[in-house]
Amino acid sequence: MKRIFLVGLMISPILLLAQTKVDSLKKMLLANTLSSTTRIDILNNLADEVRNINLTASYEYAKEALSLAQNNQYKKGEGMAYVGIANYHQRKTAFENALKNIQPALQIFESLNNREGLMNCYAVLGSVYSGLKDWENSDKYFNSVIGRNSISLS
């Protein structure tokens, strides 16, 4: 019983900090003076922050970010929204949908030469292939994330 209490005490500050960040992002969304790109970035950040707390909300934030990003031709925001949607499908073990949604993100981040975006894509791909028990591809993408090898998608 003491162990459970101690674990609870250790996790509580982490959960509180995460909730504080989520609350702060939600409050920022209420501002009417936000630029479109800032609103999209906040939605993508919210999707990422709530992914482990409320997967459905994460998916809804990512879908809204995707729609706004496409309407505003904001490629980085569009790529991150696709990553959020792919993460949702990966967590739901809808691996084909995850692969379908990560492909546009890969293309966007390659065209932007955005290394951070590509690393996010590779992490999703590593998880998807792990779920599919395709260990060779899973290792390839996870090793790429930690810098052990580079991947050519051509």
Side-chain angles (χ1 to χ4, degrees), residues 16-31:
L16 182 61
L17 182 62
Q19 187 59 48
T20 301
K21 185 169 184 181
V22 168
D23 291 342
S24 175
L25 290 168
K26 285 181 179 179
K27 188 175 181 179
M28 290 170 65
L29 268 184
L30 297 175

Side-chain angles (χ1 to χ4, degrees), residues 63-108:
K63 284 194 327 184
E64 186 177 346
L66 178 61
S67 177
L68 285 172
Q70 289 173 331
N71 288 337
N72 288 280
Q73 299 177 342
Y74 177 39
K75 290 298 187 182
K76 180 182 175 192
E78 183 179 347
M80 288 310 300
Y82 274 120
V83 169
I85 292 168
N87 264 318
Y88 168 81
H89 289 297
Q90 180 271 323
R91 296 270 178 107
K92 290 291 204 176
T93 66
F95 300 122
E96 293 305 317
N97 285 334
L99 290 171
K100 182 179 94 177
N101 281 283
I102 206 65
Q103 290 307 316
L106 282 167
Q107 292 170 352
I108 289 167

Side-chain angles (χ1 to χ4, degrees), residues 109 114-124 141 144-147:
F109 291 129
N114 184 314
R115 184 166 172 73
E116 181 182 352
L118 286 170
M119 292 302 107
N120 285 320
C121 292
Y122 297 160
V124 172
Y141 285 107
S144 180
V145 171
I146 61 174

Side-chain angles (χ1 to χ4, degrees), residues 119-147:
M119 292 302 107
N120 285 320
C121 292
Y122 297 160
V124 172
L125 285 165
S127 295
V128 167
Y129 286 117
S130 177
L132 292 169
K133 299 189 182 349
D134 180 344
W135 309 121
E136 185 177 334
N137 276 318
S138 179
D139 285 349
K140 177 176 80 170
Y141 285 107
F142 280 138
N143 282 329
S144 180
V145 171
I146 61 174

